[in-house]
């Protein structure tokens, strides 16, 4: 920032700042690029997400819609300027309530909230909802944000750090939370070397097309600011994302044929001052090819074959078989069948992909938002023809991921520019670019038949699902293999057959998205279970209790569930509310004709980690000469809280307090491989590695002190004290020799879940640990309009051991919000919903009150008994909503999302069927 009276002046956080004379520039751009106000986040550049909200003369505005000329002479306040006592209380309330998860929307929320609180110091939840309605959050589910805003008037002290040995189970504030509420957390677009080139991609406007380039040299010479152009011919190594054939099939830059709308075909590196140069004249000619993409539905039918396989455009399939499903279905007393179709769902994290790259000697350094640093390093190294040790990935804070930031997308693009030019480079996707080019939840077309005996015991099930994996494989094989394992739900099904197929089309690439296909399968299975219970005449919740897994049961894959099966506990926790809600709905419906009330329930189970594949995590922890415990934690925290939870686990395993810890990572040069942040594995798998490392470090210290296991550790300055039976042994750390990592004591341990491969019938042990849950939904349906209004959701989830209850609640609320979107509003249509205005995600008014019930049934394998949680909570929400709609109206929704016109049509069909009978 500078003060030059000959240039236009802005008053930012009380200080005058001179800026370039560019009156029509976005205020958000000037605040970030010229003034260093990095708390002003850019999520859409269209006023849709509210992440860039600032105060203009005390009123909240979207800085991305505000031209600089409108701000000249006004008082601009960003999060960096929130220094008054009210602001400090608000920030403390956000930390206390766990209202900041990934943190990308937090500055916008804080600014909108402070404007409210200055006028209304003690707002109601309804006032908070109205004031914050213009800011979107994809992580929290909003309820904790509302609670924090309504509690900001209190001077409650910060949550105290737990005593030594008591970190597990404590409601510890996020250890990285302060950076999220004061605006100093660094995300992918927030940091880059001075003079970095700006890299932009040329992308296909067609679903399927051949292309050729014109005279690139002449275009570069005629276009000011173009430093370099890169095409597939410039990729020095393997031109594909992923290094594991045959599924690593997506090119980094398409060579001559684009297979989906948004695919990158070239890169243009621009000088910083020319970063916004129009690329409309870039010399590329397109020859569209036939495709049958049904844009209205966002799916493709009979799409062209993209891979030469025996099964045409089938990428791969997964299969599980036990017993004789055909015989069971043929002889069943009660049988129900149906089909359901789901649509593309966009991840819609508020932070578009962003990062920077530079050369550090002969090492390519890439700093970016990511869910998988080591995988990114290895893939990028293969594409750049470099050994892995010459590529370093530094993970920034990640503004939401949910699976899509597992895929290597931006990393090699910006890395190629830095490697080829020798200059630093930066790249930030626009919202449209992010939505066009990144992965989606797989659209699914599913059919199933389920049967039960006269007592209501499930006897058999046959499930088939085709999952549209789009133009390239991405995580399609994972979805195809995970779905058949889970499609039974957490229930005993003695005769079972399930087939899941990943199908290639010219649609967007479908990849990992919170559940890997299990949410779609649960919609099919749980809605049929409701109908099956009704046909037998059994209460829908009782039907689930009758058939749910218990300790000692055997799954459809032949796996013995030895212990820690908590689905019965989850369902029983809902029973009291279930009975009261049914009675209330009956009374309401008897008195009302147009607005009908429904109660729905659904269950879930979810295997933590990879399906029958190696899945290790490694954690390093050391004691420095300065008397600090240094945790090298390479698991990406994308908002779920792994930085805090894994530290809590390690602290109790070691026997030293949380405030003795410093955290390093994730950084491939500094942290071991903790594996991908996916499949609800970090708390369980990396947490187990942290537990092992903590125990190993403790054992090394006790051996050094010749002390027994019951001794206690205490850090006093640079002295590590070991106390046993009243005797204190002082270990002066500064006098000890340091290991190659610089530690007086150090331990590094790896954990890999004990699983087995599945045979040709899907028999084996696909996961070592499962999480369980059940949710109850209360809603109203306007039968004249098809509109659904959610009243309340009660969610009971078995977490094994709640390492941090406040973070677990936050995961439940955030997952439910995404489940609401899947059920009621989210439908990505290529070419039509490529922004956050046309593509709808739940806003603060769409998420009802949520009651979280944490069930703790420790798993024998998990760290301190803990299980994963993040993916599970999304799974039961959509089917519970659909079951409540059917309970209210009789309408069966067979095409998601349940938009009002689809609900109304289903109501009309149900009424016509009733009349016909």
């Amino acid at each position: 920032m500078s003060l030059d009276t000959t240039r236009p002046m802005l008053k930012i956080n009380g200080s005058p700042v001179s800026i370039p004379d560019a009156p029509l520039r976005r205020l958000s751009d000037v605040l970030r690029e010229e003034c260093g106000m990095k708390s002003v986040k850019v999520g859409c550049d269209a006023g849709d997400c509210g992440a860039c909200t600032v105060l203009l003369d005390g009123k909240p505005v979207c800085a991305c819609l505000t031209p600089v000329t409108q701000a000249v002479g006004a008082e601009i306040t960003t999060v960096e300027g929130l220094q008054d006592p009210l602001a400090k209380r608000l920030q403390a309330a956000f930390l206390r309530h766990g209202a900041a998860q990934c943190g990308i929307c937090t500055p916008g929320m804080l600014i909108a909230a402070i404007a409210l609180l200055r006028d209304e110091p003690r707002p109601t939840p309804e006032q908070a909802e109205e004031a914050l309605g213009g800011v979107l959050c994809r992580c929290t589910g909003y309820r904790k944000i509302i609670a924090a805003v309504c509690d900001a008037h209190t001077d409650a002290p910060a949550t105290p750090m737990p005593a030594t040995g008591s970190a597990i189970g404590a409601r510890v504030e996020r250890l990285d939370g302060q950076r999220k509420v004061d605006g100093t957390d660094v995300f992918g677009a927030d940091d880059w070397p001075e003079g970095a080139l700006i890299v932009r991609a040329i992308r296909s406007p067609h679903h399927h097309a051949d292309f050729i380039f014109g005279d690139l040299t002449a275009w570069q010479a005629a276009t000011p600011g173009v430093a370099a152009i890169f095409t597939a011919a410039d990729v020095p190594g393997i031109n594909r994302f992923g290094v594991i054939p045959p599924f690593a099939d997506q090119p980094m830059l398409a060579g001559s044929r684009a297979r989906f709308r948004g695919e990158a075909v070239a890169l243009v590196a621009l000088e910083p001052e020319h970063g916004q140069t129009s690329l409309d004249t870039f010399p590329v000619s397109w020859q569209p090819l036939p495709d049958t993409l049904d844009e209205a539905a966002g799916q493709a039918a009979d799409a062209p074959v993209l891979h030469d396989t025996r099964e045409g455009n089938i990428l791969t399939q997964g299969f599980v078989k036990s017993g004789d499903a055909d015989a069971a279905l043929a002889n069943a007393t009660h049988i129900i069948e149906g089909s359901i179709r789901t649509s593309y769902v966009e991840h819609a994290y508020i932070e578009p992909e962003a990062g920077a790259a530079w050369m550090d000697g002969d090492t390519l350094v890439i700093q970016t938002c990511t869910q998988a640093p080591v995988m990114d390093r290895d893939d990028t190294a293969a594409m750049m023809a470099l050994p892995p040790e010459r590529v370093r990935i530094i993970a920034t804070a990640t503004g939401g991921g949910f699976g899509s930031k597992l895929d290597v997308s931006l990393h090699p693009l910006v890395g190629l520019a830095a490697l080829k030019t020798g200059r630093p480079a930066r790249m930030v996707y626009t919202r449209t670019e992010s939505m066009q080019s990144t992965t989606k939840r797989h659209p699914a077309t599913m059919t199933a038949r389920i049967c039960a005996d006269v007592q209501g015991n499930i006897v058999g099930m046959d499930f088939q699902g085709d999952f549209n994996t789009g133009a390239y494989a991405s995580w399609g094989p994972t979805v195809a293999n995970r779905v058949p394992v889970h499609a039974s739900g957490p229930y005993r099904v003695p005769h079972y057959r399930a087939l899941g197929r990943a199908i290639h089309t010219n649609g967007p690439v479908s990849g990992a998205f919170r559940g890997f296909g299990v949410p779609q399968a649960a919609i099919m299975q749980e809605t049929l279970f409701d109908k099956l219970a009704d046909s037998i005449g059994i209460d829908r919740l009782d039907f689930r209790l009758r058939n749910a897994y218990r300790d000692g049961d055997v799954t459809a894959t032949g796996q013995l569930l030895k212990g820690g099966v908590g689905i019965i506990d989850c369902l029983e926790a809902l029973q009291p509310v279930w009975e009261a809600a049914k009675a209330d709905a009956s009374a309401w419906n008897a008195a009302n004709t147009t607005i009908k009330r429904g109660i729905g329930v659904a269950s879930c189970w979810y295997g933590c980690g990879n399906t029958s594949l190696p899945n290790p995590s490694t954690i390093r922890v050391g004691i420095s000469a300065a008397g600090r415990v240094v945790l090298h934690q390479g698991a990406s925290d994308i908002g779920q809280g792994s930085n805090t939870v894994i530290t809590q686990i390690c602290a109790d395993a070691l026997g030293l307090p949380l405030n003795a810890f410093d955290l390093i990572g994730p950084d491939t040069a500094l942290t071991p491989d903790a594996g991908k942040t996916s499949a609800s594995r970090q708390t369980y798998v990396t947490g187990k590695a942290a537990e092992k490392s903590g125990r190993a470090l403790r054992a090394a210290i006790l051996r050094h002190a010749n002390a027994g296991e019951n001794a206690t550790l205490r850090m006093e300055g640079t002295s590590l004290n070991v106390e046993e039976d009243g005797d204190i042994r002082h270990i002066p750390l500064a006098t000890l020799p340091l290991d190659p990592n610089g530690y007086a004591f150090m331990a590094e341990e790896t954990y890999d879940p004990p699983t087995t491969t599945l045979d040709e019938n899907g028999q084996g042990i696909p996961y070592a640990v499962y999480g369980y849950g059940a949710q109850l939904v209360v809603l109203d349906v306007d039968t004249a309009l098809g509109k659904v209004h959610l009243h309340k959701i009660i969610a009971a989830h078995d977490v094994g051991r709640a390492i941090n209850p406040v973070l677990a609640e936050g995961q439940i609320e955030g997952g439910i919000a995404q489940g609401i979107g899947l059920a009621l509003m989210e439908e990505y249509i290529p070419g039509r919903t490529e922004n956050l205005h046309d593509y709808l995600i739940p806003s603060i008014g769409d998420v009802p009150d949520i009651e979280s019930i944490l069930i703790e049934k420790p798993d024998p394998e998990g760290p301190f008994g803990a299980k994963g949680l993040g993916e599970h909570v999304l799974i039961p929400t959509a089917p519970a909503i659909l079951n409540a709609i059917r309970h209210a109206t009789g309408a069966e929704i067979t095409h998601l999302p349940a938009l009002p016109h689809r609900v109304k049509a289903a109501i009309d069909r149900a009424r016509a069927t009733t009349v016909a009978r």
Side-chain angles (χ1 to χ4, degrees):
M1 293 189 289
S2 62
L3 183 58
D4 180 349
T5 57
T6 65
R7 306 171 79 191
M9 302 294 295
L10 295 179
K11 190 176 183 183
I12 304 172
N13 298 325
S15 299
V17 179
S18 57
I19 60 168
D21 188 4
L24 297 183
R25 281 182 70 184
R26 300 176 190 271
L27 179 60
S28 56
D29 182 45
V30 170
L31 289 173
R32 288 180 55 82
E33 300 286 328
E34 308 294 339
C35 307
M37 300 290 116
K38 298 299 174 56
S39 74
V40 181
K41 305 305 181 186
V42 176
C44 67
D45 267 341
D48 295 322
C49 73
C52 65
T53 301
V54 300
L55 296 181
L56 202 64
D57 285 336
K59 302 297 182 183
V61 300
C62 283
C64 73
L65 295 184
T66 305
V68 167
T69 185
Q70 189 174 321
V72 172
E75 177 67 44
I76 302 166
T77 305
T78 70
V79 166
E80 289 89 345
L82 296 182
Q83 301 295 328
D84 60 289
L86 173 59
K88 296 301 180 185
R89 289 198 302 272
L90 175 62
Q91 290 167 329
F94 262 62
L95 294 175
R96 188 167 63 249
H97 287 273
Q101 287 193 19
C102 80
I104 195 71
C105 75
T106 302
M109 290 288 185
L110 290 168
I111 290 292
I114 205 73
L116 167 67
L117 294 170
R118 287 174 180 173
D119 291 335
E120 181 54 67
R122 297 194 177 196
T124 65
E126 292 74 20
Q127 289 172 319
E129 281 190 20
E130 183 177 356
L132 274 61
V135 186
L136 293 177
C137 175
R138 193 59 159 164
C139 296
T140 66
Y142 300 105
R143 307 316 300 178
K144 289 190 177 297
I145 294 174
I146 293 170
V149 172
C150 294
D151 192 37
H153 63 276
T154 65
D155 265 322
T159 305
M161 280 289 184
T164 301
S166 301
I168 300 296
R171 299 178 74 89
V172 177
E173 294 179 2
R174 274 178 200 273
L175 300 181
D176 54 2
Q178 185 59 42
R179 300 194 302 271
K180 298 181 185 300
V181 300
D182 65 18
T184 60
D185 218 356
V186 176
F187 292 85
D190 291 345
D191 183 48
W192 60 89
E194 185 175 356
L197 296 169
I198 294 177
V199 180
R200 290 164 58 192
I202 305 297
R203 299 186 180 277
S204 172
H206 304 285
H207 299 295
H208 195 201
D210 286 339
F211 62 91
I212 58 172
F213 297 117
D215 191 335
L216 299 180
T217 302
W219 183 82
Q220 178 177 352
T223 308
V226 176
I229 299 171
F230 306 105
T231 68
D234 297 300
V235 178
I238 301 171
N239 184 21
R240 65 168 183 255
F241 294 118
V243 295
I244 304 175
F247 300 128
D249 60 350
Q250 183 173 353
M252 172 182 161
L253 294 170
S256 61
R257 175 170 293 180
R259 300 190 185 275
F260 71 98
R261 177 181 169 86
E263 183 166 11
V265 301
L267 301 175
V268 179
L270 298 156
E271 298 292 346
E273 63 274 19
H274 293 278
Q276 300 305 310
T277 294
S278 173
L279 304 183
D280 289 346
T281 60
F282 187 86
V284 56
S285 299
W286 301 96
Q287 179 59 53
L289 299 171
D291 71 65
T292 55
L293 189 72
D294 177 1
E295 294 189 28
Q299 296 201 87
D302 303 320
V305 173
L306 301 185
H307 291 266
D308 183 18
T309 67
R310 283 173 44 188
E311 296 294 331
N313 62 339
I314 298 174
L315 168 65
T316 189
Q317 64 183 38
F319 182 66
V320 173
K321 177 184 177 182
S322 61
D324 189 340
D326 289 332
L329 288 160
N331 298 308
T333 306
H334 300 279
I335 184 169
I336 291 292
E337 60 185 86
S339 62
I340 281 182
R341 175 184 178 188
T342 68
S343 301
Y344 282 114
V345 180
E346 162 67 20
H347 290 78
Y349 28 72
I350 306 303
E351 178 201 32
E353 290 72 9
W358 61 91
M359 298 302 298
D360 181 7
D362 65 354
T363 297
L364 174 61
V365 181
I366 303 174
Q367 178 176 277
T368 185
C369 51
T370 176
Q371 294 181 235
V374 173
M375 185 181 76
D376 292 347
R377 179 200 66 188
D378 293 347
D379 284 355
T380 302
M383 287 183 268
M384 299 300 110
L386 295 172
E389 61 271 18
R390 284 188 53 198
V391 176
R392 177 184 182 186
I393 303 293
I394 302 172
T396 63
T398 299
F402 319 116
S404 189
K405 288 177 183 173
L406 279 174
D407 283 85
V408 184
S409 58
L410 174 145
H411 316 53
L413 302 182
V414 71
L416 179 65
L419 180 69
K420 287 286 190 175
T421 65
R423 296 177 58 183
R426 58 186 289 221
M427 190 173 191
V428 180
Y429 284 9
T430 65
R431 171 56 57 186
T432 295
E433 187 176 21
S434 175
M435 294 181 76
Q436 283 183 349
S437 65
T438 60
T439 58
K440 309 288 174 273
R441 182 179 296 283
H442 286 73
T445 301
M446 301 169 290
T447 62
R449 294 182 297 155
I450 306 174
C451 62
D453 62 21
V454 69
Q455 288 82 30
N457 300 303
I458 300 171
V459 177
M461 178 177 179
D462 179 36
F463 171 94
Q464 295 185 50
D466 283 350
F467 292 79
N468 179 354
T469 204
Y472 298 106
S474 182
W475 299 91
T478 303
V479 169
N481 284 287
R482 184 176 286 266
V483 164
V485 174
H486 288 85
S488 66
Y491 307 102
R492 296 184 299 274
V493 184
H495 301 281
Y496 178 76
R497 181 175 59 229
L499 174 68
R501 304 193 304 177
I503 308 294
H504 273 305
T505 71
N506 289 120
V509 180
S510 299
F513 191 166
R514 204 168 193 166
F516 284 104
V518 178
Q520 297 95 304
I523 290 168
M524 181 76 268
Q525 156 252 314
E526 286 286 334
T527 54
L528 285 188
F529 278 1
D530 250 32
K531 292 178 63 180
L532 186 56
D534 286 348
S535 73
I536 300 169
I538 297 179
D539 177 86
R540 293 173 289 153
L541 182 59
D542 288 344
F543 177 78
R544 288 169 169 82
L545 281 165
R546 179 185 296 266
N547 290 284
Y549 282 138
R550 290 166 169 79
D551 290 346
D553 279 340
V554 176
T555 72
T557 70
Q559 180 177 357
L560 174 65
L561 299 174
K562 298 178 181 178
V565 180
I567 183 58
I568 292 288
D569 307 72
C570 295
L571 289 165
E572 288 179 341
L574 299 180
Q575 274 188 306
V577 180
W578 174 255
E579 296 302 328
K582 284 197 304 180
D584 172 74
S586 294
W588 173 274
N589 290 335
N592 293 272
T593 57
T594 302
I595 307 298
K596 292 296 185 178
R597 184 156 298 168
I599 315 300
V601 66
S603 303
C604 72
W605 70 322
Y606 193 74
C608 301
N610 293 344
T611 308
S612 294
L613 291 172
N615 196 20
S617 277
T618 302
I619 286 288
R620 179 188 307 145
V621 60
I623 306 287
S624 72
R628 299 295 297 169
V629 184
V630 183
L631 180 63
H632 294 253
Q633 199 282 96
S636 293
D637 191 327
I638 60 174
Q640 83 280 25
S642 58
N643 284 339
T644 303
V645 167
I646 291 170
T647 309
Q648 288 178 262
I649 292 170
C650 191
D652 276 9
L654 174 58
L656 282 171
L658 277 175
N659 57 14
F661 277 73
D662 294 327
L663 185 68
I664 291 178
D667 179 333
T668 58
L670 302 176
T671 53
D673 185 5
K676 304 178 293 294
T677 293
S678 68
S680 294
R681 64 178 297 280
Q682 294 297 16
T683 294
Y684 159 47
V685 182
T686 302
K688 189 74 170 184
E691 180 187 23
K692 291 181 64 179
S693 295
R695 295 191 190 282
L697 180 58
R698 176 181 175 82
I701 294 168
L702 295 179
R703 283 196 303 271
H704 180 88
N706 195 27
E709 177 58 34
N710 292 326
T712 59
L713 307 182
R714 186 172 66 255
M715 199 76 74
E716 291 185 358
T718 60
S719 177
L720 176 58
N721 299 336
V722 182
E723 183 173 354
E724 184 178 33
D725 298 330
D727 178 40
I728 300 178
R729 300 162 211 185
H730 301 276
I731 304 176
L733 296 168
T735 66
L736 297 180
L738 303 182
D739 70 9
N741 291 293
Y743 296 122
F745 296 97
M746 192 272 287
E748 182 172 305
E749 294 289 332
T750 297
Y751 175 73
D752 193 4
T755 63
T756 66
T757 57
L758 301 182
D759 66 18
E760 67 276 7
N761 288 318
Q763 299 299 293
I765 302 175
Y767 313 100
V769 169
Y770 296 86
Y772 303 88
Q775 293 176 14
L776 185 157
V777 170
V778 181
L779 56 74
D780 285 346
V781 181
D782 185 330
T783 59
L785 301 176
K787 293 183 65 175
V788 176
H789 174 71
L790 298 171
H791 283 293
K792 185 165 186 174
I793 296 178
I794 302 170
H797 283 270
D798 171 26
V799 298
R801 180 78 181 275
I803 304 297
N804 188 318
V806 71
L807 299 186
E809 293 163 359
Q811 284 295 285
I812 290 173
E813 293 170 9
I816 285 173
Q818 290 191 350
I820 291 170
L822 171 64
L824 297 177
M825 64 184 68
E826 295 191 44
E827 184 171 28
Y828 179 80
I829 301 172
R832 289 176 52 186
T833 60
E834 295 171 347
N835 55 67
L836 292 176
H837 178 76
D838 297 308
Y839 184 85
L840 301 180
I841 68 172
S843 64
I844 200 166
D846 295 313
V847 181
D849 288 337
I850 297 171
E851 179 184 342
S852 299
I853 302 172
L854 299 181
I855 303 296
E856 295 186 279
K857 189 161 185 180
D859 190 278
E861 188 67 26
F864 294 96
K867 305 167 183 174
L869 176 65
E871 313 249 336
H872 312 48
V873 291
L874 171 79
I875 297 169
T877 308
I881 290 172
L882 298 186
N883 286 338
I885 293 172
R886 191 179 73 88
H887 176 245
T889 66
E892 296 180 28
I893 307 299
T894 58
H895 184 185
L896 269 68
L899 299 171
H901 72 279
R902 291 175 184 156
V903 175
K904 181 63 169 63
I907 292 171
D908 292 343
R909 287 194 300 271
R911 286 175 173 170
T913 301
T914 301
V915 170
R917 289 173 181 169

